Amino acid sequence: MAVTTIKSTYSLDVESVRALETLAWRWNVSKSEVLRRAIRLAVREGGPGESAALGALDRLQASLRDRKVDVARWSRDLKNERRAASRRLPLKPQ
């Protein structure tokens, strides 16, 4: 079965090229194969830090649901507290 390939040109910094060449040598594959593997991994894992950030957001949202926090009311209360605090602060001399 033939595999369709598309030739593309990309610009990489010297450090990235060296890392690419090192991985190709270490894995005993072409530089193109290293890039294919890296792309597949990034798609599967969701990119740098993305899965950790989304996981943290999911945990926060679950925590708020579990504690039955009224987020709209909390937001209004927080805004009111900030406004009240700013009225109490003395103005800075200019």
Side-chain angles (χ1 to χ4, degrees), residues 6-27:
I6 300 169
K7 288 192 177 256
S8 299
T9 302
Y10 299 94
S11 298
L12 299 172
D13 58 272
V14 173
E15 183 181 342
S16 296
V17 170
R18 286 185 181 146
L20 178 63
E21 290 170 343
T22 299
L23 287 172
W25 178 81
R26 190 179 300 159
W27 296 346

Side-chain angles (χ1 to χ4, degrees), residues 13-90:
D13 58 272
V14 173
E15 183 181 342
S16 296
V17 170
R18 286 185 181 146
L20 178 63
E21 290 170 343
T22 299
L23 287 172
W25 178 81
R26 190 179 300 159
W27 296 346
N28 197 28
V29 297
S30 68
K31 290 183 272 187
S32 294
E33 179 60 21
V34 171
L35 290 171
R36 283 190 288 272
R37 290 178 185 185
I39 291 167
R40 287 186 204 116
L41 178 64
V43 168
R44 212 171 33 246
E45 298 296 321
E50 185 177 307
S51 59
L54 288 177
L57 178 60
D58 289 341
R59 288 190 301 278
L60 173 62
Q61 290 173 335
S63 171
L64 293 173
R65 276 192 307 274
D66 292 346
R67 294 181 357 207
K68 296 177 176 38
V69 173
D70 182 347
V71 177
R73 180 177 177 200
W74 174 77
S75 178
R76 282 191 310 273
D77 291 347
L78 182 61
K79 189 183 291 186
N80 290 336
E81 287 176 24
R82 288 180 177 166
R83 285 184 181 149
S86 69
R87 285 189 289 257
R88 290 190 302 260
L89 294 176

